[in-house]
Amino acid sequence: MSAERADDGGVRRGRPPESDEQRARRRLAISRHAVRLFREQGVALTSGEQIAHAAGVSERTLWRLFRAKEACVEPVLTIALGDLVAVLRSWPAHLELDEHLRAAYGGELGSSLDDAEAVLAVVRLTRHETGLRAVWLVLHERAETTIAAALADRLGRPVDDLDVRLRAAAVNAALRVLTDDLAWTVADGPVTADALLHHRDRLAETLRTLTRIPDAARAP
């Protein structure tokens, strides 16, 4: 058993605390195994014990990291939202969002086509698995806060302004609906880079009308 020096000068035994980055990596690794099992045998027939065994962790660790087996898809689904959130946070004042999206958002839905395939597989499952659908909708609700903050900054209005909130809700809905459509478009074949770029372009065109900033609100 490892030991480390405690703040009071004594020796504290046990593993050093897990960093946020290590925890996130562990959650994503488990999530990928859970998605594979859900795809192969369905959510109802997949147990927490099976997910833990596939991921090489104890059930105790699994339930420490996830509140329920359905929640195991959160890290994979977050991949689909994380890239867009990063684009919003880096949105420069001289560009409209659709222009910035085309330049900065590759549409990968993760670091690889395997990630994209996993994301879209879960999105397809959400159509019939209400527990997974709830997870997907909650993640979108969380992302809407960031979307609203970016729009509020561009419009020079409070984040709780009604117009800002309506635009943020529209952007969020567009992302969700277009991702759902992509998931079913590629359901019968592999996910390709061309399909993801087409998804990005469709999203950019949709956001053009939803986030166009009035001339009076543009930064000089």
Side-chain angles (χ1 to χ4, degrees), residues 81 84 88 97 137 139-152 155 159-178 203 206-207 209-211:
L81 295 170
L84 182 65
L88 287 169
L97 180 54
L137 294 177
L139 290 175
H140 270 279
E141 183 177 359
R142 293 175 187 169
E144 195 165 308
T145 301
T146 300
I147 296 171
L151 291 172
L155 291 168
V159 73
D160 59 352
D161 178 85
L162 180 59
D163 184 52
V164 169
R165 291 166 55 199
L166 289 171
R167 287 173 183 253
V171 169
N172 198 4
L175 176 61
R176 178 174 52 79
V177 170
L178 288 174
L203 183 59
T206 302
L207 297 190
T209 59
L210 297 179
T211 65

Side-chain angles (χ1 to χ4, degrees), residues 47 54 57 61-62 71 83 90 100-101 142 156 160 167 185 190-191 195:
S47 67
V57 300
T61 296
L62 178 73
D83 287 347
S90 64
H100 177 51
L101 189 75
R142 293 175 187 169
D160 59 352
R167 287 173 183 253
T185 298
V191 179

Side-chain angles (χ1 to χ4, degrees), residues 112-155:
S112 68
L113 290 177
D114 286 343
D115 278 340
E117 185 175 343
V119 169
L120 297 176
V122 176
V123 172
R124 285 193 296 273
L125 285 171
T126 65
R127 181 168 291 189
H128 305 293
E129 298 284 355
T130 57
L132 299 187
R133 189 68 176 177
V135 172
W136 183 223
L137 294 177
V138 166
L139 290 175
H140 270 279
E141 183 177 359
R142 293 175 187 169
E144 195 165 308
T145 301
T146 300
I147 296 171
L151 291 172
D153 183 62
R154 292 301 297 269
L155 291 168

Side-chain angles (χ1 to χ4, degrees), residues 155 213-219:
L155 291 168
I213 307 302
D215 290 339
R218 290 178 182 272

Side-chain angles (χ1 to χ4, degrees), residues 34-48 50-51 68-71 73 121-122 125-126 128-133:
V35 170
R36 178 180 59 79
L37 289 171
F38 289 159
R39 293 176 68 183
E40 291 175 354
Q41 57 194 38
V43 175
L45 296 179
T46 300
S47 67
Q50 288 175 318
I51 296 171
K69 67 179 181 181
E70 291 84 359
V73 301
V122 176
L125 285 171
T126 65
H128 305 293
E129 298 284 355
T130 57
L132 299 187
R133 189 68 176 177

